[in-house]
Amino acid sequence: MNGSYPNKSNLGKLAIVLHAHLPYVRKNEKNSLEEDWLFQAILECYIPLLQVIESSQKENPLNTKLTISLSPTLLSLLQNEQLKETFPSWIETRKYFLNDLSQEEKVASEFLMKNLNDKYLYWQKHNGNLIDRFKVLNQSGNLDILTCAATHGYLPILRENPETVRGQIKTAIVSHKEILGINPLGIWLPECAYYEKLDQILIDSGIRYAVLDGHGILNASPRPRYGVYAPICSKNGVAFFGRDSESTLPVWSAKDGFPGDQVYREFHKDLGWELPPSRLKEKGIPSVRPLGLKYYKITDEKIPLGKKDFYIENEARIKAEEHADIYLLSRSKQLEKLSVSSSFEPLLIAPFDAELFGHWWYEGPIFIENILKKSTKYNIRLTNLKEVLMGKPKLQICDPSPSSWGQGGYHNYWLNDKNSWIVPEITKAGSMFVECSSKSFNDEFSIRVLKQAARELLLSQSSDWSFILRAGTTTELAKERIDRHLFRFWKLIEMLKNISKTDLNFLEIIEEEDKVFPEINILDWQK
């Protein structure tokens, strides 16, 4: 495409916001499903995105601007030394299975072997320390790194005990500062979910800006003059940026957007589903599941997985470049219409799950690479949220509307007949913890028990489990996780109330397994 507009100053700004998150699940066993979640995300998403951003920064530092949230649980996993030591053997296992393919399949999967080697070389070069790579990009101003709630708790369903919401936010901030060395000013609210007066907790905790779904902005009071095309500021002093659906639909929708193109890699056809269990067990993998080894293309969404064609890397790369052009041309037309009728410079906010780029949509990092490379040709200036606010724009005072980025802007994806049973359970536990943390416990052992109870409470509140139960995938795992953390929580509370029931072995085991948020502060839950 030749697509650039004639000579003209910037039509407006585009802020791509990526939300990187995984639930904190540590099993002290090799080749667990949870280990796969992390390592596949590292291989297919986090390293590729870092490579793309770092490469763009060298070529065009002024226009290499992105916002990314790194959830506290993800950061905890990325800094875990035990997991870092396991990643090389995980890579070798994948290479073993690729080397054992038929000649025809070996040729088709050459790109996977090349990718494994390339990403592992990056890992080795930086001693597995991806967090430092993110920190460097944050310090240069190319990345604006946001925090998230501590365990991605869905905040509107925690509001009955405001102290539990505060615990989620303040624990996240302390963890962010401990790991990244900076106090976060921005936050990705889990599922972009907002409820009335949440901004008071945010501002009291030191948070100055957040991302909302478009519904949260468009239904604000009063209705914002510029809609989602400019941030607003709540009466309590928090700035909110609204998702622009036109800028996101072409990218996240597998059905109607770019990721569903027939030349792209087929996500659902994975070698792990096709190998006999005995072969997997030879390498210590206890069950049939995806290995992250996918070398077929979508071909046609209507044909069965068994009839898909082999993936052709160059064909897919060219298509991703074309799609970046199409996307930028559409955004430039959108901005041109907005700038004609307005006296302000319009801003498009495009938030996505980071894992879309590389994991779900394998070619996603190539798409981002071309957005960074070509945006100026379309008179679009890339920016990040912090940079926007540093320009000291005049913000309209509006109170955001309760909303989420679920369908229709409602809360029902995280509160329905499949997962609503969670709410009274975590509410009851939250009430108990607020009560306990508000009492005077001065002895070292009681404080130790309370801190671990806080961790178990936070882990039980993760919205990931509600999402999985609603989606119907790995539901047993989700239910087991909720039950596990709540069981541990109540046992700790029982130990706290009745010292004769102290089980030191139990405490030591769960402190090792749920070893997250070492700086946790029980005062954050006090009334």
Side-chain angles (χ1 to χ4, degrees):
M1 295 186 62
N2 49 24
S4 61
Y5 274 91
N7 291 331
K8 185 181 177 182
S9 60
N10 290 321
L11 296 164
K13 297 176 181 177
L14 170 65
I16 294 174
V17 185
L18 304 179
H19 173 48
H21 165 66
L22 284 176
Y24 187 86
V25 279
R26 273 194 68 214
K27 282 190 176 177
N28 294 324
E29 59 185 57
K30 237 177 142 182
N31 293 314
S32 66
L33 177 61
E34 296 87 347
E35 190 181 85
D36 282 356
W37 289 354
L38 175 64
F39 292 159
Q40 285 185 29
I42 287 172
L43 175 74
E44 297 177 333
C45 176
Y46 308 142
I47 290 179
L49 284 174
L50 282 168
Q51 288 177 316
V52 161
I53 298 166
E54 288 171 347
S55 174
S56 176
Q57 181 201 33
K58 290 176 184 175
E59 295 178 15
N60 188 4
L62 295 179
N63 208 51
T64 301
K65 302 282 185 178
L66 289 169
T67 304
I68 190 166
S69 70
L70 299 174
S71 75
T73 49
L74 173 61
L75 285 170
S76 295
L77 292 169
L78 289 177
Q79 73 166 4
N80 184 275
E81 292 301 326
Q82 183 182 339
L83 289 168
K84 285 184 188 179
E85 290 170 6
T86 309
F87 186 60
S89 64
W90 186 89
I91 292 284
E92 286 304 314
T93 297
R94 270 76 196 154
K95 291 169 73 171
Y96 169 83
F97 285 122
L98 289 178
N99 280 322
D100 205 39
L101 292 172
S102 69
Q103 187 58 36
E104 186 183 29
E105 287 178 308
K106 274 186 183 178
V107 172
S109 64
E110 274 179 3
F111 77 99
L112 283 180
M113 184 66 81
K114 183 176 71 175
N115 189 54
L116 285 166
N117 289 328
D118 174 68
K119 300 305 177 278
Y120 186 54
L121 276 174
Y122 183 94
W123 173 271
Q124 285 183 308
K125 179 182 177 182
H126 301 294
N127 298 312
N129 193 341
L130 302 188
I131 291 174
D132 268 1
R133 308 316 304 155
F134 283 113
K135 285 168 69 173
V136 168
L137 291 167
N138 179 77
Q139 289 162 0
S140 67
N142 297 103
L143 271 188
D144 174 20
I145 301 182
L146 313 182
T147 190
C148 185
T151 58
H152 214 266
Y154 195 77
L155 303 182
I157 63 175
L158 302 180
R159 64 185 297 183
E160 186 170 327
N161 296 303
E163 298 84 1
T164 62
V165 176
R166 190 176 67 214
Q168 280 274 352
I169 302 300
K170 289 204 166 186
T171 302
I173 290 170
V174 170
S175 177
H176 192 94
K177 185 176 181 181
E178 182 68 20
I179 296 174
L180 291 169
I182 49 173
N183 266 323
L185 296 176
I187 191 169
W188 177 283
L189 296 172
E191 320 300 356
C192 294
Y194 184 81
Y195 67 88
E196 303 95 330
K197 299 183 180 178
L198 173 58
D199 59 327
Q200 185 65 64
I201 294 176
L202 297 179
I203 200 78
D204 289 346
S205 303
I207 295 296
R208 296 293 180 265
Y209 56 99
V211 180
L212 292 183
D213 184 69
H215 296 84
I217 302 293
L218 294 174
N219 296 319
S221 178
R223 187 177 175 88
R225 179 182 178 188
Y226 299 124
V228 296
Y229 306 116
I232 63 171
C233 185
S234 72
K235 291 186 181 73
N236 285 317
V238 179
F240 290 95
F241 295 84
R243 179 175 75 99
D244 171 43
S245 58
E246 279 189 67
S247 300
T248 54
L249 182 65
V251 179
W252 68 257
S253 175
K255 181 181 178 183
D256 302 312
F258 304 140
D261 192 281
Q262 62 183 18
V263 306
Y264 288 147
R265 193 178 74 160
E266 171 60 64
F267 177 82
H268 299 286
K269 186 170 173 60
D270 189 290
L271 181 63
W273 295 122
E274 297 169 6
L275 291 173
S278 58
R279 290 291 320 285
L280 295 171
K281 286 176 181 175
E282 285 173 14
K283 300 302 289 183
I285 299 171
S287 60
V288 173
R289 61 167 184 260
L291 296 173
L293 301 178
K294 313 169 197 290
Y295 46 91
Y296 288 83
K297 60 182 176 180
I298 293 172
T299 313
D300 186 329
E301 62 177 13
K302 295 178 182 177
I303 67 171
L305 292 178
K307 295 188 177 181
K308 302 286 184 179
D309 294 333
F310 285 132
Y311 181 78
I312 303 173
E313 183 182 24
N314 193 50
E315 178 184 44
R317 174 174 283 279
I318 291 170
K319 182 59 68 176
E321 292 174 5
E322 290 176 3
H323 280 156
D325 276 306
I326 292 169
Y327 180 81
L328 288 168
L329 181 59
S330 296
R331 300 291 68 73
S332 64
K333 288 179 178 178
Q334 185 183 3
L335 287 168
E336 186 176 44
K337 288 179 183 177
L338 290 167
S339 60
V340 165
S341 60
S342 305
S343 58
F344 75 111
E345 184 180 39
L347 170 67
L348 304 179
I349 303 294
F352 307 98
D353 284 326
E355 292 77 19
L356 167 66
F357 298 93
H359 178 60
W360 298 104
W361 179 23
Y362 183 70
E363 298 76 15
I366 301 170
F367 176 84
I368 292 289
E369 178 184 23
N370 282 275
I371 295 296
L372 295 172
K373 187 187 299 182
K374 298 180 177 182
S375 58
T376 52
K377 288 172 53 182
Y378 292 86
N379 299 310
I380 297 170
R381 183 181 167 195
L382 297 182
T383 188
N384 55 47
L385 305 189
K386 184 178 180 181
E387 184 180 66
V388 171
L389 294 178
M390 285 179 67
K392 298 183 179 179
K394 293 181 180 179
L395 305 184
Q396 185 177 350
I397 305 298
C398 305
D399 282 327
S401 170
S403 56
S404 82
W405 75 344
Q407 187 175 16
Y410 301 114
H411 299 306
N412 59 338
Y413 205 94
W414 296 273
L415 188 62
N416 52 72
D417 59 353
K418 293 183 179 178
N419 57 28
S420 59
W421 62 269
I422 299 170
V423 180
E425 296 296 329
I426 59 177
T427 300
K428 180 182 174 184
S431 297
M432 176 56 71
F433 191 73
V434 171
E435 179 187 325
C436 290
S437 64
S438 299
K439 292 179 180 177
S440 180
F441 288 100
N442 298 317
D443 64 288
E444 190 175 324
F445 182 75
S446 294
I447 292 171
R448 176 183 170 187
V449 171
L450 268 174
K451 285 186 173 183
Q452 192 58 38
R455 295 183 184 102
E456 301 303 334
L457 177 65
L458 287 169
L459 290 167
S460 73
Q461 292 169 344
S462 170
S463 73
D464 299 275
W465 313 134
S466 298
F467 182 90
I468 289 171
L469 289 170
R470 169 63 177 81
T473 59
T474 58
T475 54
E476 286 305 310
L477 182 147
K479 188 175 185 309
E480 187 270 335
R481 278 285 157 181
I482 298 166
D483 290 342
R484 173 191 299 209
H485 294 305
L486 286 175
F487 169 79
R488 291 176 174 181
F489 171 83
W490 287 112
K491 184 163 181 177
L492 290 167
I493 295 299
E494 189 178 355
M495 286 167 56
L496 189 70
K497 291 185 171 184
N498 188 346
I499 204 74
S500 65
K501 294 192 176 182
T502 295
D503 185 341
L504 192 57
N505 184 55
F506 168 78
L507 177 59
E508 290 173 346
I509 288 172
I510 65 173
E511 280 179 330
E512 174 58 29
E513 189 166 308
D514 296 336
K515 189 164 54 178
V516 65
F517 312 133
E519 305 299 321
I520 201 163
N521 185 356
I522 57 174
L523 297 180
D524 292 336
W525 280 265
Q526 283 190 352
K527 285 189 177 180

